[in-house]
Amino acid sequence: MTDRLNGKRIMITGAAQGIGLAIAQACANEGASLFLIDLDAGLLETEAKALQAGGAAIGYTVASITDITAISAAVERAATEIGPINAMINNAGVNVFHEPLETSDEEWQRCFDINLKGAWNCTKAVLPGIIAQGGGAILNIASTHAFTIIPKTFPYPLAKHALLGMTRSLGLEYAGKGVRVNALAPGYVSTQKVIDYWNSFPDPEAARAETMKLHPGGRIATPEEIALAAVFMISDECPFMNATCLKIDGGLSVQQHP
Ligand SMILES: NC(=O)c1ccc[n+]([C@@H]2O[C@H](COP(=O)([O-])OP(=O)(O)OC[C@H]3O[C@@H](n4cnc5c(N)ncnc54)[C@H](O)[C@@H]3O)[C@@H](O)[C@H]2O)c1
């Protein structure tokens, strides 16, 4: 355990597995206190208890980021359990992948409710407290889908483009109050979400191999590799980094097709 995040009291959403869990583990290792939110009660409790057993100050609650009342209550509970939140990592998100004309209104709404409005709900709930403390950091987990489009993944990339817009907008609005708002854009990361994506193809193994082949290094990222960047961006090691986005995709998105 080191102390790069000593004094940070970070709320992390979607923290029970995948990238959110790896970020929580890395932040705890760097001395942060954490308040974890997820919909999956069983996984959340198991992982939060494991982190507590490792010596970290951890609070947690089961809530949906779409439920602003529950999120506001979580922020209050966090203040009691670990102290007032001074950093927020908006990580929870879901794949909503369709052919555009086959996208139902319900799927469109679900996509934007979770991937965009959910991040705003959490940000809105923590921002007044962060400003009152003289500043802090917000990190939105976007995606390379915030820059480019994979056909038939509609409307997920639209929500990630908008999340990047929100990052820029809030970064400008609150810079004068000491708040940094940034985004991190992973490419493919080995989580359940990506396994589910491969499983949506008739030949999942061929889909997996095709993804690996697209990457200059022949592999995709681990959640831990994304967490390394998240720790840096939420720490005080980049005080002038604001309203920007860091891509971590192993070079995938700069490769031109031959
Ligand atoms: N895995 C990738 O390749 C990849 C790439 C780029 C960006 N991302 C983004 O990273 C983030 C995490 O992705 P992941 O792959 O770790 O996903 P994951 O599916 O492995 O984990 C997501 C977690 O979020 C929780 N969650 C979902 N909806 C929620 C809600 N409404 N309220 C609270 N919690 C909720 C789930 O229960 C789950 O534990 C997402 O925003 C995703 O869009 C992932």
Side-chain angles (χ1 to χ4, degrees):
M1 214 153 142
T2 55
D3 58 2
R4 290 166 69 205
L5 297 180
N6 264 3
K8 301 288 180 212
R9 296 175 294 277
I10 312 171
M11 180 169 275
I12 307 175
T13 65
Q17 62 185 312
I19 295 170
L21 174 60
I23 292 175
Q25 290 165 335
C27 289
N29 274 334
E30 297 292 351
S33 303
L34 307 177
F35 196 87
L36 311 179
I37 294 180
D38 204 287
L39 275 178
D40 190 319
L43 269 185
L44 180 65
E45 187 174 1
T46 304
E47 299 299 346
K49 288 197 164 150
L51 286 167
Q52 285 168 338
I58 306 287
Y60 60 98
T61 195
V62 177
S64 174
I65 57 170
T66 59
D67 181 347
I68 184 74
T69 309
I71 294 302
S72 300
V75 173
E76 279 183 30
R77 205 173 130 189
T80 313
E81 294 184 11
I82 63 163
I85 293 297
N86 55 18
M88 174 81 227
I89 300 182
N90 287 308
N91 166 76
V94 288
N95 284 351
V96 183
F97 290 173
H98 298 288
E99 192 281 331
L101 288 176
E102 288 167 7
T103 307
S104 67
D105 286 351
E106 290 72 23
E107 282 290 273
W108 170 281
Q109 198 59 44
R110 184 171 76 89
C111 180
F112 281 88
D113 278 352
I114 299 172
N115 293 320
L116 182 62
K117 180 72 175 6
W120 170 234
N121 287 342
C122 297
T123 303
K124 196 175 171 188
V126 296
L127 250 181
I130 292 179
I131 291 169
Q133 292 171 73
I138 293 169
L139 181 62
N140 296 320
I141 307 303
S143 166
T144 44
H145 284 261
F147 299 91
T148 48
I149 307 288
I150 300 177
K152 298 190 176 57
T153 63
F154 190 89
Y156 176 84
L158 283 65
K160 291 296 189 183
H161 274 67
L163 185 60
L164 190 51
M166 189 169 88
T167 303
R168 291 172 171 153
S169 167
L170 299 179
L172 296 192
E173 295 277 0
Y174 299 106
K177 304 211 181 284
V179 184
R180 297 185 303 112
V181 186
N182 290 297
L184 210 164
Y188 287 87
V189 187
S190 53
T191 70
Q192 190 56 45
K193 212 139 88 69
V194 168
I195 294 166
D196 292 344
Y197 173 63
W198 287 327
N199 284 341
S200 72
F201 288 83
D203 183 347
E205 187 43 45
R208 196 192 79 88
E210 187 60 32
T211 301
M212 298 299 171
K213 216 170 67 187
L214 285 174
H215 286 74
R219 70 171 182 91
I220 65 173
T222 65
E224 291 72 24
E225 287 170 324
I226 306 305
L228 289 171
V231 166
F232 170 67
M233 293 177 85
I234 211 80
S235 78
D236 296 331
E237 294 164 7
C238 47
F240 208 56
M241 182 184 272
N242 182 38
T244 194
C245 180
L246 184 64
K247 270 189 204 172
I248 306 190
D249 66 356
L252 172 71
S253 61
V254 296
Q255 189 173 233
Q256 191 171 328
H257 290 295

